């Protein structure tokens, strides 16, 4: 019996060690605490909720990208969130996410939900492949908003399905188009992201869906009467 217990304990220790090797550490720094937006962040969002959201966004992105094994993912051990006194909304660079305190302070709706969506978008940038810099910027932003859309954090001001002038416009326009493509073949975005690990070509759409991206865009527009 004692021998069995030792084996179980050994397995648990090994599992915990393996999980620890692939765990991601999250930190939050409010560089704008003295501003109205920085104060609102502390009151209505906070460090603990932000860390929970970063972790949840990571897990959600891994699942959506079908990155079930650590070797399928980028080797990122720490993600740092900074609330800064800056213009714009947010950006991600070098495993850091920077969010504008000015945007938080001026946002007129449910700021916690809005920043949650922003963090899902920016966390996608941390984990997604960009075709070694060859992928269109609009596609990169569209995939990030696609993750936000599938996580159910799309804001009400986004375009409706079928709207937009071109598939690689980016953000919500491209996210809606990618959602259509994903409906044609469940897991399309995950497969597209995987292909973009080493490079990028519009041919990927043909490889995965049997049609070129321009035809897919025309089909998408036709579906919604545009």
């Amino acid at each position: 019996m004692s021998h069995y217990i030792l084996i179980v304990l050994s397995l648990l220790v090994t599992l915990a060690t393996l999980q620890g090797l692939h765990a991601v550490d999250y930190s939050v720094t409010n560089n704008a605490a003295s501003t109205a937006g920085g104060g609102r962040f502390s009151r209505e969002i906070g460090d603990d909720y932000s860390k929970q959201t970063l972790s949840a966004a990571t897990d959600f992105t891994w699942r959506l990208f079908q990155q079930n094994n650590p070797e399928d993912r980028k080797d990122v051990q720490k993600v740092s969130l900074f609330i800064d006194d800056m213009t714009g909304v947010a950006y991600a660079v070098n495993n850091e996410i920077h969010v504008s305190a000015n945007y938080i302070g001026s946002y007129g709706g449910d700021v916690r939900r809005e920043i949650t969506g922003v963090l899902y978008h920016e966390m996608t940038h941390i984990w997604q492949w960009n075709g070694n810099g060859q992928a269109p910027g609009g596609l990169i932003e569209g995939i990030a908003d696609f993750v936000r859309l599938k996580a159910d954090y799309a804001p009400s001001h986004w375009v409706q399905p079928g709207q937009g002038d071109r598939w690689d416009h980016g953000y919500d326009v491209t996210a809606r188009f990618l959602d259509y493509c994903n409906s044609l073949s469940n897991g399309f975005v995950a497969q597209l992201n995987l292909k973009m690990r080493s490079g990028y070509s519009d041919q990927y759409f043909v490889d995965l869906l049997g049609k070129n991206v321009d035809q897919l865009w025309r089909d998408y527009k036709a579906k919604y009467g545009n």
Side-chain angles (χ1 to χ4, degrees):
M1 183 67 178
S2 60
H3 179 67
Y4 173 77
I5 293 174
L6 286 174
I7 292 175
V8 172
L9 289 175
S10 176
L11 289 172
L12 290 174
V13 170
T14 301
L15 179 61
T17 301
L18 289 173
Q19 289 178 336
L21 288 173
H22 304 297
V24 182
D25 184 35
Y26 303 98
S27 68
V28 179
T29 303
N30 188 349
N31 291 323
S34 61
T35 69
R40 189 181 187 190
F41 169 81
S42 297
R43 292 190 309 273
E44 300 185 34
I45 303 171
D47 292 4
D48 289 344
Y49 177 79
S50 296
K51 290 179 182 179
Q52 293 169 10
T53 300
L54 293 173
S55 179
T58 288
D59 291 341
F60 185 84
T61 303
W62 286 349
R63 290 196 302 273
L64 200 63
F65 284 172
Q66 299 177 359
Q67 296 176 332
N68 301 316
N69 301 307
E71 57 267 24
D72 298 330
R73 312 165 191 151
K74 290 183 180 178
D75 183 17
V76 177
Q77 299 180 357
K78 181 176 181 179
V79 178
S80 302
L81 171 63
F82 296 92
I83 309 303
D84 293 330
D85 186 6
M86 67 180 198
T87 58
V89 179
Y91 67 92
V93 62
N94 297 328
N95 301 331
E96 296 179 357
I97 296 174
H98 296 258
V99 176
S100 169
N102 296 334
Y103 182 72
I104 293 173
S106 63
Y107 189 77
D110 183 346
V111 72
R112 174 179 278 204
R113 176 178 172 81
E114 170 63 12
I115 297 304
T116 299
V118 168
L119 292 180
Y120 269 74
H121 175 106
E122 299 302 336
M123 186 57 77
T124 305
H125 287 323
I126 300 294
W127 296 113
Q128 71 185 145
W129 304 107
N130 69 355
N132 284 329
Q134 300 172 30
L139 177 58
I140 296 299
E141 297 297 343
I143 290 174
D145 263 0
F146 170 79
V147 173
R148 181 175 179 174
L149 173 66
K150 302 311 285 184
D152 198 26
Y153 287 110
S156 60
H157 64 260
W158 273 18
V159 300
Q160 295 302 305
Q163 294 181 332
D165 297 325
R166 64 181 196 274
W167 77 268
D168 60 348
H169 178 276
Y171 298 100
D172 51 348
V173 172
T174 302
R176 298 288 194 190
F177 172 63
L178 291 173
D179 194 33
Y180 163 76
C181 292
N182 205 69
S183 72
L184 300 177
S185 177
N186 189 33
F188 162 77
V189 172
Q191 295 169 348
L192 178 63
N193 180 69
L194 178 60
K195 281 180 169 291
M196 288 164 56
R197 185 169 187 164
S198 57
Y200 176 77
S201 170
D202 285 352
Q203 178 65 30
Y204 293 166
F205 286 84
V206 179
D207 296 342
L208 296 172
L209 296 176
K211 294 182 178 180
N212 66 55
V213 68
D214 293 325
Q215 182 60 56
L216 287 165
W217 176 254
R218 288 192 291 271
D219 293 348
Y220 167 66
K221 297 289 284 185
K223 177 179 180 179
Y224 291 98
N226 293 312

